[in-house]
C-alpha cells in the first residue's frame, strides 16, 4: 500500500560500479588520531600496542571480506587492495568502502583490550575511507611504494623529533625549528651523533610499516577420531593446509618482494 | 626523494562531491544480521536491547559528526539525513559514508555491554552503507516515509509470524505458508482472534521505528563556585540550554510531525 | 561466435544517469570562435548574422530534441534547460550532451548560407558542451541570471572597446589599457561623452541575449478541401493552434518574466 | 556586481575527469539513420558515398582534435580511441564527447556535397555519443574486435537480406523470415547458390569496416624558390615527411595488424 507511493525514491540512488579490470584500493585513516593517541597515552614516536592492534583489525578485514590481495599499513592508516577481477558486490564502490571501515572500526574496539590491557578505551574512535582505482600493475605497485616511502619519511622525522623532545629536552616547537629544512642525511646524522642511534637498526615495523599477504600454511593438528568397533576416541595427527593472513615488515618498493610473491598480482579472480 | 616519483598516483583519486542544495542520506545496514541476531540470542520479533543499542550508536553518530538534521532507524538499519546546505568535508560522498559507518560500528561494540549485560559479544559486526541525494523537501519526506512504511509492513508480518511459531507451535515454514498472500487486515485479524493482540497496542518503537532529532533542553545543573573573599566553594543552581539528540517513536508519514518541527527542513546551513 | 568472446567490453560502460527531480542544463560554446569569427569577418562587437544563426540552431535543437523548457543564448554560447521530470533517454548525461551539440553543429553548417549569404563557410566549426544539474527553481533561475549578467558585462565592455578601436583609432592594447579597472558607470560615461551613445538604447538582443521559449500560436491557414459531390477542390480557412519556439530579448533576472511565464518552471513532465 | 550573487551556480558543475592510464573510447552513432538513409536514398546494403563521407568526417575529427591513436567505423557509427596518457582538456569526459560529435556533425554537412553531389541534404542530421574507458591493451583490442565482429555479422546479414529483396523479389518481412535462425554458413550458402556471390569477394570496406591510423608519408612536393642573384623563381623538388590519417580496410581481430603497427598501442603520450 503506502509502499508503492514512496518507492520512487529508490530511483535516486546512483550507480557507483568500479571500472572493471582495475585494482581497487580502499585506504582508511584514523579520525582525529592525534588527539586519540594523546588521550590514550600512546608511546611516541611508535606505540607497539597501537600498531599491532591496527594490524589485527586489518587481518580481520581481510578474512571477513572477499578478494583482498594485499594490505599495507603504517601509523593510523591502512590500505586494502582488492583484486582486479573481483566481482564482490558487483564492484560497487560504496560497498567496498563501508564494509572495510565498519569492520575495521568494530574490530578496533573489540580487540582493544587484547593489546592495551589496563589502558581503558575512553570513547569509540572514528575512521574515514576513500577508494581509488589503478589500471596497471605498475600503478598499484607505485601506490604501495608511495605509502611505504611516506612511512619512511614520517618515521625518520618522528624518530628524531621525539629524541630531541624526550632526551634533549627541547619543546615541540624547538624540535620542529631544529628539523626545518633538514634532509634525510641530516636527520640520520643527528640521530647518530647526538643519540648514538643508527636509524637502520630501528625496528623494521617502524621503518617499513606492515604488509599483509595470504600464505599457505602447513599445519599438523591433533584430531580425536572414533574408530569403528572401538569404544574410545583415538588421537591422530593430521596434516592440514590452509591460507592465512601473514604480516611482513619488508621493503615493497624494490622488485625483490614482487618477484618472490608473483601470485599477488597474478590475474586470477 | 622517492616521494616525488610515486606521488603521481594521487591523481587517480576521483572527485565524489555531492551535488549542492540536495539532502544527503546515508543509510546503514547490519551485515549478516540474521546470523548475528541468532548467535546473540536476540528476542523475536523485537529485541529491546538491540534496538536501543542501535539508537545509542545513531545518537553518537549525530553528536560526533556535523550537520545531521534527522535520523531514522528500524530493525538493523539507520538512515542519517545531512542538511541541504552542509559543506562538511566539501560534501565528499566517501567522507559522509565512511564516517557514519565507522563511528556507528565502533560505538556498537563500545556500548554493547551497556545494553546486553552478560550476553557476550562474540565477534565484531560489520555494517554497509550507501549514499543517496534528494533535491526537494518532498523527496526527503517521501524517503523517510518509505522507510517507516517498510518498518510497519515488516513489523506486522514479523509479529504474526513469531506468534504463530512461538505460541501456536508452527514451524517457520508453516508460518510462512500461512501468511502467504495475506493482507494487512488478515494479519491484524489473526493477531486479534488467535492471540488476543490488538496490533495498535503494540509498542510504538516496534511499529514506528525511532526518529532522532535535535531538541533544545533546559536543564538546571548544580555548579560549585568559589566566591571572592570566601574560603569554601558554594553550590549554586544554574540554568543551562543545550541541544540534545532526542529519540521519538511517532508517525512521520503524515503532515503533523513536520508541522510541529519546521526547523528540521528549514534551509539554514 | 566471435561476438560472445568480445562482448564483455560492454560492461566497461559506466552509468551516467542524472539525479531525478533536477533541472538539467546543457551549455554549449563555440570552439576557437575568436579565430572563427575573424576568419569569417564577423562584425564587431556584434554580428547580427552570427547571432541569428546561433538562435536558428538553438530553435532546431529545441524542436528536434525532447523536453527542453527554455534556452538562453549570447555570443557563441547557448544553454538548454531540460525539464526536471524529463525521462528522455533515461536521463543519461552523455545522451543529453551529445544530442545537443551534434544537432547544433550540423544545423550551424546547414543554415549558414541563409544568414551569411555570399560569405563562404571556410571549414566545419566545433562546439563543446557540458552538463550541470540544478535542484531547485531558484537555482535554475540563478543560473540563467548568471548567464544574462555575464552577457551584460561582456557586451558593455565590448561595445566600448570596439568604439575606442573603430572610432578613436586606438590599438586593441591601448583600448584594453584604457578600460582596465573601469566600472560599469565609467564605461557608460565613455560611451555617452565620447561617442554620444546611450548604452540603454543599444539593441536588446545585444544587451539581453536571446531567450527561447515555447508559445502557443493561433494561426489561420488555408487548406484545399474536396467537398463531397463537388468536382473541384475548395479553399477554406482553418484555425490551428500549435506550439512554437519563440525568441525573446528581455530581462530574465527580475521576477516579471517568471510571473508572466509560470508554465516554464511548472512541474509537469 | 550581479555577477557575484549568481556565480555560486558554478559550483554545481561536477568533475568528470577520466581515470588516468586508461584508453578513452568515444563512440558516435547516427540518430535515426534508418529514416535518414531512406530519405536520402542510400544504396542498400552499402552506400559508398555514405561510408566515405563518414570516413571523411572521422579523419577531420582525428586531425582537429588531440591524441586520437586510432579510429574504427562501420555503417553509421565511428569509434575514436584516445591515448592512455592523453592530458587533453584534463581528460574531462564531457569535453571528449562533445568535441567529437560536434566536429563530426558539422563536417558531415560541410562535406556532404563532395560525396552526394546532386543528392540534396534535406535536414541537419543528429549523432549521439558515449564514452568508455579501457584499462589494458587487451581490453582496447577486444573493444575494436567487438565492433569489427559486429560489422561482419551485420554486413553478412544485410547482404543476403537485400539480395533476397532486390533480386528474388521477397518482401522485407519474407526476407527476415527466411533468415530467421540461420547461421553464417547458411547465409554464405544462400549467397553462393542463389546469387552466385562469394561473400569473401565482397569489398573489404563492407566486410571489415574502416580503420583510421596515423602514417608517416614521404612526399615529393614542388616548391618555387627564389635563388639569390637570380631574377626568376625556380621550381625545385623537395622531400617532406608528414603524418597523415590513412584509411585501411583490414582485419584488426587477429594479431597481425597489431604486430605491424606496434606504435598504435605504444605507451607514449
Amino acid at each position: 500500500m503506502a509502499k508503492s507511493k514512496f518507492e520512487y525514491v529508490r530511483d535516486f540512488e546512483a550507480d557507483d560500479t568500479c571500472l572493471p579490470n582495475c585494482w581497487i584500493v580502499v585506504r582508511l585513516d584514523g579520525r582525529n588520531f592525534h588527539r586519540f593517541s594523546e588521550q590514550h597515552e600512546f608511546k611516541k614516536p611508535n606505540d607497539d600496542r597501537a600498531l599491532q592492534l591496527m594490524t589485527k583489525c586489518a587481518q580481520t578485514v581481510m578474512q571477513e571480506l572477499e578478494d583482498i590481495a594485499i594490505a599495507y599499513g603504517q601509523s593510523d592508516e591502512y590500505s586494502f587492495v582488492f583484486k582486479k577481477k573481483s566481482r564482490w558486490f558487483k564492484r560497487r564502490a560504496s560497498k567496498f568502502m563501508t564494509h572495510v571501515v565498519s569492520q575495521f572500526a568494530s574490530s578496533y574496539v573489540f580487540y582493544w583490550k587484547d593489546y592495551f590491557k589496563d589502558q581503558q578505551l575512553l570513547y569509540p574512535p572514528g575512521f574515514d575511507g576513500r577508494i581509488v582505482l589503478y589500471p596497471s600493475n605498475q600503478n598499484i605497485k607505485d601506490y604501495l611504494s608511495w605509502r611505504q616511502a611516506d612511512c619512511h619519511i614520517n618515521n625518520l622525522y618522528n624518530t628524531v623529533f621525539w629524541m630531541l623532545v624526550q632526551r634533549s629536552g627541547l619543546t615541540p616547537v624547538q624540535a620542529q625549528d631544529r628539523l626545518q629544512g633538514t634532509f634525510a642525511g641530516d636527520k640520520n646524522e643527528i640521530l647518530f651523533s647526538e643519540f648514538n642511534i643508527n636509524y637502520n637498526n630501528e625496528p623494521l615495523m617502524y621503518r617499513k610499516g606492515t604488509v599483509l599477504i595470504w600464505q599457505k600454511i602447513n599445519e599438523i593438528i591433533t584430531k580425536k577420531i572414533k574408530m569403528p568397533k572401538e569404544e574410545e576416541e583415538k588421537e591422530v595427527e593430521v596434516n592440514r593446509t590452509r591460507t592465512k593472513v601473514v604480516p611482513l615488515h619488508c621493503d615493497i618498493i624494490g622488485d625483490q618482494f614482487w618477484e618472490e610473491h608473483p601470485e599477488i598480482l597474478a590475474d586470477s579472480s
Side-chain angles (χ1 to χ4, degrees), chain A residues 112-161:
Chain A
W112 171 271
K113 62 184 175 311
D114 295 350
Y115 297 87
F116 279 88
K117 312 291 178 193
D118 300 337
Q119 177 85 50
Q120 283 294 310
L121 179 61
L122 302 174
Y123 55 87
F127 298 87
D128 82 354
R130 74 195 67 202
I131 197 162
V132 197
L133 303 184
Y134 290 106
S136 75
N137 289 359
Q138 191 58 52
N139 292 150
I140 191 65
K141 286 195 280 185
D142 287 348
Y143 171 80
L144 292 166
S145 297
W146 174 52
R147 297 323 302 146
Q148 192 169 60
D150 186 81
C151 172
H152 168 71
I153 289 163
N154 291 336
N155 190 61
L156 177 56
Y157 182 93
N158 290 338
T159 304
V160 193
F161 176 89

Side-chain angles (χ1 to χ4, degrees), chain A residues 28 57-65 97-111:
Chain A
L28 156 154
C57 296
Q59 283 174 305
T60 308
V61 166
M62 280 179 79
Q63 277 151 1
E64 289 298 316
L65 276 49
M97 277 188 282
T98 58
H99 276 123
V100 165
V101 299
S102 72
Q103 190 65 57
F104 197 98
S106 68
S107 300
Y108 199 90
V109 181
F110 190 82
Y111 294 115

Side-chain angles (χ1 to χ4, degrees), chain A residues 30-38 42 54 76 108 125-127:
Chain A
R31 185 186 180 209
N32 293 335
F33 257 50
H34 188 74
R35 180 176 142 246
F36 183 84
S37 66
E38 282 179 358
F42 282 18
M54 289 291 287
D76 65 342
Y108 199 90
F127 298 87

Side-chain angles (χ1 to χ4, degrees), chain A residues 55 59 62-63 71 210-217 243-249:
Chain A
T55 289
Q59 283 174 305
M62 280 179 79
Q63 277 151 1
T210 302
V211 185
L212 294 179
I213 60 172
W214 291 97
Q215 276 189 348
K216 283 220 172 70
I217 304 288
T243 317
K244 211 178 142 181
V245 177
V246 175
L248 306 173
H249 310 294

Side-chain angles (χ1 to χ4, degrees), chain A residues 39-73:
Chain A
Q39 289 172 314
H40 293 87
E41 296 171 21
F42 282 18
K43 213 186 132 210
K44 294 295 181 183
N46 289 287
D47 186 305
D48 283 358
R49 302 166 303 174
L51 293 174
Q52 280 159 6
L53 174 55
M54 289 291 287
T55 289
K56 174 66 181 174
C57 296
Q59 283 174 305
T60 308
V61 166
M62 280 179 79
Q63 277 151 1
E64 289 298 316
L65 276 49
E66 306 282 327
D67 292 340
I68 298 175
I70 184 171
Y72 174 76

